[in-house]
Amino acid sequence: MKLANILRSIIFASAAAFLIFNQDHSVPTGIAVVQYVSTAIAFGSAVLYKIDSSENKLGPIVVPGAIAFIIALMSIFVAPETPEVSLTLLTGLIAAFAGGNAITEFVISLKSPKADKLELRISAAIGFLTALVFGLGQLDGLNAVGFFSAYLSVLAVQRAVWIASPKSKDENG
C-alpha cells in the first residue's frame, strides 16, 4: 500500500501543479489532465503489480488500476463534437474516477489494518464528495477544471501525510 500511495501522491501532485500554474483552464486541458492521471495510474499499477511482494494486490493495486485504465480509454477514444459534450465528458470522467476509487477505498478499509482504516475512509469521503459535485453539479469549464485541481491537490496532500505519519511507519514497517 505504501508504494501505491507514493505513486498516486506523485501523480496527483504533478497534475495539480500543472493545472494550478497553467493559465489555460479550458475543458480540453482538463481532459488532457484526466488522460495523464488515469494513464499514469493504470501504467503505474501494472508496474506495482509486478514489483510489489505483498499478498493482497487486488484491492490496493489491481482495482484502482483497472478503473484508471477504463477512464484512460474513455478519455482517449471518446471524441466529443460540441463544447457541451466535452464538458459533460470531463465531468463524467472525473465523477466516475473519483466515485470508483471512493467505493474501492471504502471496501478496502473494511478489512485493513487500524493505521490505514481511517486514511482510506478519509480518501473515500473525499472521492464521494468529488463524485457528487461532478455528477450532480452544474459546472462550467473553468469551475470543473478548478475543482478537479483542488481534488488532485487535496488527495496528493492526504496521501503524502498518510505516508509520512508516524503511526503508519510503526504499524506497517
Side-chain angles (χ1 to χ4, degrees):
M1 190 75 178
K2 186 175 183 177
L3 289 176
N5 281 336
I6 291 170
L7 171 74
R8 292 181 193 134
S9 183
I10 292 169
I11 293 168
F12 295 149
S14 62
F18 175 78
L19 285 174
I20 289 168
F21 295 111
N22 187 7
Q23 295 298 315
D24 181 17
H25 286 90
S26 65
V27 173
T29 301
I31 291 173
V33 172
V34 168
Q35 289 174 351
Y36 162 71
V37 168
S38 57
T39 304
I41 289 177
F43 180 73
S45 294
V47 171
L48 281 179
Y49 183 81
K50 293 301 278 180
I51 65 172
D52 190 11
S53 61
S54 67
E55 294 289 319
N56 183 18
K57 294 181 186 182
L58 181 66
I61 296 175
V62 175
V63 175
I67 292 168
F69 182 70
I70 292 168
I71 298 297
L73 288 178
M74 290 175 59
S75 69
I76 293 169
F77 291 118
V78 174
E81 297 191 14
T82 65
E84 293 81 20
V85 175
S86 293
L87 180 60
T88 303
L89 175 67
L90 175 64
T91 57
L93 289 172
I94 295 170
F97 179 80
N101 282 311
I103 292 168
T104 302
E105 289 172 340
F106 183 77
V107 170
I108 293 169
S109 77
L110 298 174
K111 294 184 180 180
S112 67
K114 188 175 181 179
D116 291 340
K117 187 176 296 276
L118 179 62
E119 296 296 338
L120 282 164
R121 290 192 179 167
I122 290 170
S123 183
I126 294 167
F128 282 130
L129 288 173
T130 302
L132 281 173
V133 167
F134 280 91
L136 301 176
Q138 297 295 319
L139 303 173
D140 62 3
L142 181 66
N143 289 333
V145 174
F147 282 135
F148 184 44
S149 172
Y151 166 69
L152 293 170
S153 299
V154 169
L155 273 185
V157 170
Q158 188 261 340
R159 297 238 179 222
V161 169
W162 181 0
I163 295 164
S165 71
K167 233 163 102 176
S168 177
K169 291 178 184 174
D170 292 342
E171 292 184 20
N172 293 334

